[in-house]
Amino acid sequence: MLMERETAVEAGITLCAVALFVVIVVAGGEVSSAGLTESGAYAVIAAIVAFVVVMAAAGYYLSTKQE
């Protein structure tokens, strides 16, 4: 069974956003060998906020895209 192009684009955008979120969270958690420091915690919070904004923007873009 083949996917439509639009479905593949939506899935690709979502997967890229999730992968970026995971990379930022892992990098923020490993800023120092002492565990999660204050700067690492800020990085994780920034990643969560950025993820929400990117997903909202992607959802808006995909919902207003003309066919």
Side-chain angles (χ1 to χ4, degrees), residues 36-64:
L36 187 62
T37 61
E38 184 177 354
S39 62
Y42 285 132
V44 171
I45 291 171
I48 293 169
V49 171
F51 179 74
V52 169
V53 170
V54 167
M55 291 307 288
Y60 178 75
Y61 167 74
L62 292 172
S63 69
T64 60

